Amino acid sequence: MKLRKALPVAALLALMGASFAAQAYDADWKRGRIYYRAVCTTCHIASPVGSINPSTKTKAEWTAYLQANKHAKGKDTVSQYYSKAYRASIKSGNKAAEKFADTPDQELADDLKAFLIKGAKDGDAPASCS
């Protein structure tokens, strides 16, 4: 009798798990490239503070950089520059920030990482943003 009750519950849990897995976000490196080139390079060109091309680092170096979340030699965070608050503050002068104003921070972070990994010096398509 207990087995009969447990089977429907197990099936329901399996379906719920499959539903949640189907909703996982698949990063869009092209969207990451648009944001990176329109937002990141704009500031780095206006105020040169070091290399900005994705191909200057390896995939492991980009992953470590993003995980450390330190920008400008630790003076601020990388995540601040793709946050909704930052996008709102620059959207009047930046079309990409305006276009992605409502994009969840984590989705944009995943998109940026996908672009950086693809464009890394050991990535599938080393990229230059100059």
Side-chain angles (χ1 to χ4, degrees):
M1 185 69 172
K2 286 184 181 182
L3 183 58
R4 284 187 183 168
K5 290 181 182 179
L7 285 176
V9 172
L12 178 63
L13 290 174
L15 284 173
M16 287 175 56
S19 173
F20 289 128
Q23 293 176 2
Y25 179 70
D26 189 19
D28 182 351
W29 70 267
K30 290 178 182 177
R31 188 164 77 165
R33 177 181 62 192
I34 292 167
Y35 189 82
Y36 190 87
R37 288 184 171 171
V39 176
C40 302
T41 58
T42 299
C43 285
H44 280 262
I45 290 169
S47 176
V49 291
S51 187
I52 187 67
N53 290 332
S55 62
T56 59
K57 296 183 189 300
T58 65
K59 292 187 281 188
E61 290 170 331
W62 278 118
T63 298
Y65 174 77
L66 294 171
Q67 188 171 14
N69 197 23
K70 302 240 185 263
H71 187 267
K73 298 182 181 177
K75 294 178 186 169
D76 52 24
T77 63
V78 175
S79 58
Q80 133 185 3
Y81 293 101
Y82 57 77
S83 69
K84 281 187 177 186
Y86 181 73
R87 286 178 268 152
S89 74
I90 66 168
K91 74 179 183 180
S92 65
N94 188 293
K95 289 182 181 184
E98 183 178 5
K99 179 179 181 177
F100 301 124
D102 295 326
T103 303
D105 291 353
Q106 190 57 54
E107 281 186 20
L108 193 53
D110 292 345
D111 295 343
L112 286 165
K113 182 177 182 181
F115 169 64
L116 291 170
I117 296 302
K118 184 176 183 70
K121 71 172 84 172
D122 60 345
D124 294 339
S128 172
C129 290
S130 45

